[in-house]
Amino acid sequence: MNSFESDDGHVIVRLDRGDMALESIERACTAHEVDTGAVVTGIGTFSTLHIHYVDRTDLPDEQADRNASRELTGAWEVTDINGVIANGEPHLHVTAFDGDRTVGGHLEQGCEINVLGEITIRKLPGLELERRPNDRQISQLERR
């Protein structure tokens, strides 16, 4: 992993074969002091893809009961990674294609880069956000 910052607050993260996507993005946020920002583009390939997504509409009280997880292997072409960084913590979604199916969901740790990855982060100076759970235990963006 390598990262580069422009004068106007953009951070480009280069991911190499064997790098872990989310973990590398988190390290880049720390290294470049990204408190509040947005991942505005992300492309690449994964050899392992770990995601979760909400698979129901009734929203049970237990948060763990709301999500389905997938751990997929193979050659995954990543067509998009995007999301918001609040209080230094990325909340990102991914869309990927393996030649037969397209999947999408919340990007989890353990997504290994197959060939390459390129992520663009935009810092949002003057805005301080964090996630706080509401009465249904759903994390929502709020000003700090």
Side-chain angles (χ1 to χ4, degrees), residues 35-110:
D35 178 72
T36 300
V39 171
V40 295
T41 65
I43 56 100
T45 60
F46 291 159
S47 57
T48 57
L49 176 60
H50 294 195
I51 59 171
H52 83 262
Y53 57 95
V54 176
D55 68 341
R56 49 194 311 159
T57 59
D58 58 337
L59 292 182
D61 290 335
E62 288 298 318
Q63 198 166 12
D65 294 337
R66 298 176 186 175
N67 298 317
S69 295
R70 297 288 180 266
E71 295 183 13
L72 306 165
T73 59
W76 289 92
E77 185 71 24
V78 176
T79 60
D80 192 35
I81 299 172
N82 62 57
V84 174
I85 300 161
N87 202 19
E89 298 178 19
H91 177 162
L92 306 178
H93 286 235
V94 60
T95 305
F97 178 67
D98 74 350
D100 293 317
R101 60 190 165 158
T102 301
V103 298
H106 181 98
L107 184 69
E108 294 288 347
Q109 292 190 347

Side-chain angles (χ1 to χ4, degrees), residues 21 42 68 83 130:
E130 67 181 357

